[in-house]
Every structure is written in C-alpha cells, then in structure tokens.
Amino acid sequence: MKKEQIRNELFKIEVLRQRLMRPQFITLGLTVGQGQPRILKELLFEGSMTQKKLADACLLDVTTMSRTLDRMEQAGLLVRESNPDCRRSWLIALTEKGMDIAKKVQQIFEETDKIYCSNLSEKEAEQLFVLLQKVEDNISQNCK
C-alpha cells in the first residue's frame, strides 16, 4: 500500500464528514469553518473556561478563536465573564440560547458517530481508534 493512499483516504473522510454535518450546523445558524460547533460542544461538557484553554481544546489558534467568540457573543450564544483567578483573562460561558444550540450540536455529533461506525464491529472500531491515535501522535510530534 502506498502511503499516499492513506493521505487521500483521510482527506476524503474529512470532506465527507463536513458534507454530512455542515447543512445541519448551518440550519442551527452556525459557521462551521470557524469551529463554532466544536466550541459549543467543549463548553457544554467542560463548562466555562478561559479563551486559551478553549482554543487548545478546539485546536484553534487564539486569534481565530477571538474572532469566532466575538461572532458567537453577538449571536447570543455565549458570554465573556470576569475571571476571578486572573484579571487579564475572561471566562467563556454558554448562555441559555447557547446551551440549547450546544445540545443540538451534540446530537448531530452523536448521529454522525453512529454513521461512522455503522458497519464496524466493536473490535474493529477499537482497532481503528488505536490506529488513528498513532497517526495523530505521528503528526503531533512533527508540528511546531
């Protein structure tokens, strides 16, 4: 097998994943390319957190995160609150509207997960996860 085939498969999977989820996120009023669904999911499960921690969790650079948070705040999905531990940073938290949308986002992620694994046995799914973690580790070790 040529390693190029692995790269091509990973690319096709990512494009298809976006094609599957994008229309559902757009229906919710979310901008997908800026990571809004991921941001909502992280805040739903982790609660309020600093912009830096949220950016790291979503694998977004701080500048992109800042602009995206501005848009999400204007849309009424989240608020920036004073951070009692550090006067120079803010805690990002979901609003009620944001919480409602975040729960819908989580449902979309769960439905997509079922599609990903629909014809995989539990053992195959576990093997795939282990192999994908290895690929992630290989890439992470070579990122700046």
Side-chain angles (χ1 to χ4, degrees), residues 74-107:
Q74 289 170 356
L77 300 175
L78 55 84
V79 293
R80 289 178 168 108
E81 303 170 336
S82 297
N83 184 352
D85 296 331
C86 178
R87 292 187 330 204
R88 294 181 303 171
S89 71
W90 299 93
L91 291 176
I92 311 302
L94 292 173
T95 61
E96 244 183 84
K97 178 182 177 182
M99 183 72 73
D100 290 341
I101 299 290
K103 288 176 183 175
K104 292 175 183 173
V105 164
Q106 181 57 27
Q107 289 174 335

Side-chain angles (χ1 to χ4, degrees), residues 49-61:
M49 62 179 79
T50 65
Q51 182 172 322
K52 171 75 169 111
K53 184 175 177 184
L54 184 58
D56 290 345
C58 294
L59 303 175
L60 293 171
D61 66 84

Side-chain angles (χ1 to χ4, degrees), residues 64-130:
T64 300
M65 177 63 71
S66 182
R67 281 188 249 121
T68 301
L69 294 177
D70 287 344
R71 288 185 191 100
M72 293 176 76
E73 189 172 27
Q74 289 170 356
L77 300 175
L78 55 84
V79 293
R80 289 178 168 108
E81 303 170 336
S82 297
N83 184 352
D85 296 331
C86 178
R87 292 187 330 204
R88 294 181 303 171
S89 71
W90 299 93
L91 291 176
I92 311 302
L94 292 173
T95 61
E96 244 183 84
K97 178 182 177 182
M99 183 72 73
D100 290 341
I101 299 290
K103 288 176 183 175
K104 292 175 183 173
V105 164
Q106 181 57 27
Q107 289 174 335
I108 293 168
F109 282 139
E110 288 172 4
E111 290 167 9
T112 303
D113 292 345
K114 287 178 190 173
I115 292 169
Y116 285 171
C117 298
S118 63
N119 65 352
L120 298 177
S121 70
E122 186 66 31
K123 184 176 180 179
E124 288 172 326
E126 288 174 16
Q127 289 172 330
L128 177 60
F129 179 72
V130 168

